[in-house]
């Protein structure tokens, strides 16, 4: 039961697209991630996924539209909906989703699929 | 699938200790709340609860210690652990917890127990 200071956690890593676990509750995980560039298209078969932008600008692209977000904006992507995430410049994002979700969903990608359960 | 801008949502109400639902995923709810003063002691029998401070200073008190938090700090209170929340000046807090949790947990309080499912 210790508090987590997000700025301290974000300062502990530099790599992009590698979520770090900072909290667990009710079978869900709270992760933080730094992003830059464009992530592969994918969907999650049975998990909804929430993104909350902490710093920078971040977007979630769907096949028919794009949702642009800045700090303090959040979006929930329902299960089954194809999407990809992207950021032109580095952004910091908080993710809330069920335990042990594969970050690339239905896709396995040599570059982007990240290990689970990496704690900070 | 619309984004939520937290500042806009917080601007839509003024009352304290009345959580507003801003998102739902995987059986969990994302709520925002304005707080000031001291909330009743309580626990949640089977739900863990997460607080993320958005603005101001907020504390979670346990029987044996106090966790003081500012913006960008979060704390997970495990199920069953007695606690109360407090803020000397108004603060804005994001809450993650399972659907339909009673805010006062095992306690029913005429002043503080708030209705569930109030959406913004």
């Amino acid at each position: 039961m210790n508090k987590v200071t997000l700025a301290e956690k974000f300062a502990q890593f530099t790599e992009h697209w590698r979520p770090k676990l900072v909290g667990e509750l009710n079978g869900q995980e709270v992760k933080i991630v730094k992003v830059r560039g464009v992530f592969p298209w994918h969907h999650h078969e049975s998990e909804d996924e929430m993104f909350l932008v902490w710093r920078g600008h971040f977007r979630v692209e769907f096949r028919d539209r794009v949702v642009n977000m800045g700090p303090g904006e959040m979006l929930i992507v329902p299960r089954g909906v194809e999407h990809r995430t992207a950021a032109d410049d580095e952004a910091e994002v908080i993710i809330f989703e069920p335990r042990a979700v594969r970050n690339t969903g239905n896709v396995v990608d040599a570059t982007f699929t990240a290990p689970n359960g990496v704690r900070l």
Side-chain angles (χ1 to χ4, degrees), chain A:
Chain A
M1 277 203 301
N2 293 313
K3 71 176 176 184
V4 169
T5 301
L6 291 173
E8 282 177 12
K9 296 293 187 189
F10 275 117
Q12 287 177 31
F13 66 101
T14 57
E15 71 271 37
H16 298 133
W17 306 115
R18 289 285 186 268
K20 313 297 183 196
L21 186 57
V22 297
E24 291 175 275
L25 70 165
N26 305 305
Q28 314 293 307
E29 292 182 340
V30 185
K31 298 171 192 169
I32 61 174
V33 66
K34 292 186 177 181
V35 299
R36 189 174 65 201
V38 181
F39 199 75
W41 286 106
H42 69 283
H43 69 272
H44 301 279
E45 202 60 45
S46 55
E47 297 95 1
D48 312 319
E49 189 170 31
M50 174 175 151
F51 301 102
L52 170 59
V53 182
W54 186 248
R55 190 178 64 79
H57 289 84
F58 171 74
R59 65 184 185 272
V60 181
E61 300 185 3
F62 302 99
R63 289 294 187 182
D64 60 347
R65 68 191 186 105
V66 175
V67 178
N68 288 291
M69 290 185 282
E73 296 192 315
M74 54 175 261
L75 181 71
I76 294 169
V77 178
R79 58 195 70 189
V81 175
E82 198 182 25
H83 63 285
R84 67 177 186 182
T85 50
D88 295 335
D89 299 307
E90 184 180 87
E92 295 178 345
V93 178
I94 303 164
I95 299 171
F96 192 58
E97 63 188 6
R99 181 176 294 151
V101 167
R102 181 161 63 202
N103 66 328
T104 52
N106 62 313
V107 171
V108 175
D109 184 288
T111 302
F112 288 99
T113 298
N116 262 317
V118 178
R119 282 165 202 280
L120 282 187

